[in-house]
Amino acid sequence: MTGLVARIEAATPPGRDRAVDALRALAILGVVGGHWLVTALVADSGTVRGASPLAAMPHLTPVSWVFQTLAVFFLVGGMVAARSWDAARKRGVPYGRWVGGRLARLFRPVAAVLVVWTLAAAAMLAAGVGESTVRALGKLVWSPLWFLLVFAALTALTPLVARLHPLWPLVVVLHVDLVRLGLGGPRELGWVNVVAGWLVPYCLGALVDRGGLRRRTSRWALLLGGATAAVALVLWAGYPASMVGVPGGRMSNLDPPSLAAVTFGLAQCGAALLLLGPLRRVLRRPAAWAVVNLAAMTVFLWHQTAMIVVTTSTLLLADGPLPGLHTVPEGPGWVVARLLWLPVFALALLGCWAVFRSYEQSGRRGGGGSLVVRESAPERKGWARRA
């Protein structure tokens, strides 16, 4: 283990902002933990179907406030892409090469998931597994990938949106919700928010890269202002309290992103920016940096597969449905049992990570797709001060 830590430390370029990588890893781990806690596979009548404990136990709603961390992922994406594009322009790298490299790095590990699960779905159908079961399992794996398409689109638009103030897409979200929810406009209008909603933290990240929100007071204002706005929208504007979709709910804050989800995301971004300084101090330790550097995207892409492997294998081996794993999520007993299963999910995920992490790590060197930007010492110091 000591040798691995030393190799990771030696391979880390001096221009890499470790705290930004840590924020990305925390955002991904938040999504992973949230999915494992609020997603259940129920085995009954010879089929497997998806369910959510939030539908039967609304008092668990605060779980969604902790684990719905996509805004932080887009904040980091905006920071890194803006810096990378600026550095590419200074080096004379053309746009096509730059965006091609970044998208290739993003989708290389995704391709492995798609190939494996396409083959797995075909094998299950050939073996006689019901279509509803295959559809439920496939949806768990593929549905979390939607945000990567949005992230890819925003990455491609970076030269156009890098200097866009986040207030503008926030105004778009506000007006879209006003029309579709307040004035009875078409529901399809909400899909504008799929881009505009995530453009808010993405542009916020680009603003931070340009030197905005340098003061802690500004970051505290973002945290408190976003949280206050989100609470007000839930209490007095009729938005759901859950920041993720709940089966059977009258609307979702996430599908498409609502004004409540966007303001809540701004609060999360404020908290994330306040963490940058402490994270930099912690990540000076090689062991802490080694943990952050362990292919976080691979963890995200395969976390649902790990849960499915544990759920289906135990279903085949056990005499009947196991609490917290195959049973309906409708009481405190299920919650306690699910918490006990989380370490098993983590072990299965560790196995997936060991097998598939090379697809992510193979794209880290060279080209326009690398997240590492090699700058001169003055440029590195200036960027760190701005962030």
Side-chain angles (χ1 to χ4, degrees):
M1 181 61 70
T2 303
L4 175 62
V5 170
R7 288 196 300 272
I8 292 174
E9 179 71 14
T12 303
R16 195 175 189 108
D17 190 332
R18 302 181 182 196
V20 172
D21 282 337
L23 287 182
R24 182 191 297 108
L26 289 173
I28 288 176
L29 290 178
V31 174
V32 170
H35 282 162
W36 283 355
L37 288 171
V38 304
T39 303
L41 286 171
V42 179
D44 55 14
S45 305
T47 63
V48 174
R49 59 182 175 86
S52 172
L54 295 178
M57 296 177 281
H59 54 278
L60 295 179
T61 293
V63 172
S64 70
W65 306 343
V66 176
F67 291 103
Q68 204 293 82
T69 51
L70 285 176
V72 178
F73 184 89
F74 281 92
L75 170 78
V76 172
M79 293 171 66
V80 174
R83 178 170 57 139
S84 175
W85 170 240
D86 184 59
R89 286 191 302 113
K90 289 177 180 177
R91 298 196 310 269
V93 176
Y95 168 76
R97 179 183 163 195
W98 175 82
V99 74
R102 294 194 70 82
L103 295 184
R105 184 180 185 276
L106 176 66
F107 285 113
R108 185 179 292 107
V110 174
V113 177
L114 295 179
V115 169
V116 168
W117 267 96
T118 298
L119 295 175
M124 285 188 286
L125 291 173
V129 178
E131 288 187 15
S132 61
T133 296
V134 175
R135 190 180 306 112
L137 297 180
K139 183 179 180 181
L140 281 181
V141 174
W142 291 327
S143 59
L145 304 183
W146 65 265
F147 89 90
L148 293 179
L149 297 177
V150 180
F151 186 79
L154 296 186
T155 298
L157 292 173
T158 296
L160 297 178
V161 303
R163 294 194 171 273
L164 181 68
H165 196 283
L167 181 62
W168 293 110
L170 180 62
V171 169
V172 172
V173 173
L174 169 64
H175 283 83
V176 166
D177 272 18
L178 179 63
V179 173
R180 72 184 179 104
L181 301 176
L183 303 178
R187 295 181 60 185
E188 293 76 13
L189 185 63
W191 294 108
V192 173
N193 284 356
V194 173
V195 175
W198 299 118
L199 193 57
V200 174
Y202 194 86
C203 289
L204 186 66
L207 177 64
V208 172
D209 175 67
R210 297 197 303 273
L213 297 175
R214 283 179 290 183
R215 301 184 179 211
R216 289 181 61 83
T217 53
S218 300
R219 298 176 180 189
W220 273 110
L222 185 64
L223 167 58
L224 298 176
T228 301
V231 169
L233 289 168
V234 169
L235 293 179
W236 297 301
Y239 285 88
S242 173
M243 289 301 147
V244 299
V246 179
R250 59 181 180 81
M251 71 170 285
S252 169
N253 273 322
L254 199 57
D255 187 22
S258 69
L259 182 61
V262 173
T263 55
F264 182 77
L266 287 175
Q268 288 182 317
C269 290
L273 293 174
L274 286 168
L275 282 175
L276 280 174
L279 283 173
R280 288 192 181 104
R281 290 191 290 272
V282 171
L283 293 172
R284 291 171 187 164
R285 304 170 185 169
W289 169 238
V291 173
V292 169
N293 200 41
L294 293 178
M297 183 59 71
T298 301
V299 169
F300 170 78
L301 292 173
W302 293 95
H303 75 280
Q304 293 288 62
T305 299
M307 185 183 73
I308 290 170
V309 168
V310 173
T311 303
T312 55
S313 60
T314 51
L315 182 62
L316 295 174
L317 296 174
D319 293 333
L322 298 176
L325 204 57
H326 313 121
T327 54
V328 178
E330 57 183 6
W334 184 92
V335 176
V336 173
R338 173 49 64 103
L339 291 174
L340 295 176
W341 281 109
L342 294 186
V344 184
F345 295 166
L347 285 175
L349 180 56
L350 182 62
C352 293
W353 171 85
V355 173
F356 294 104
R357 66 190 174 98
S358 60
Y359 291 95
E360 178 179 355
Q361 294 177 336
S362 63
R364 287 191 174 183
R365 290 189 177 90
S370 175
L371 290 176
V372 179
V373 182
R374 288 177 171 79
E375 305 135 321
S376 65
E379 288 173 326
R380 287 199 303 271
K381 293 177 181 177
W383 192 88
R385 284 196 299 269
R386 293 195 302 270

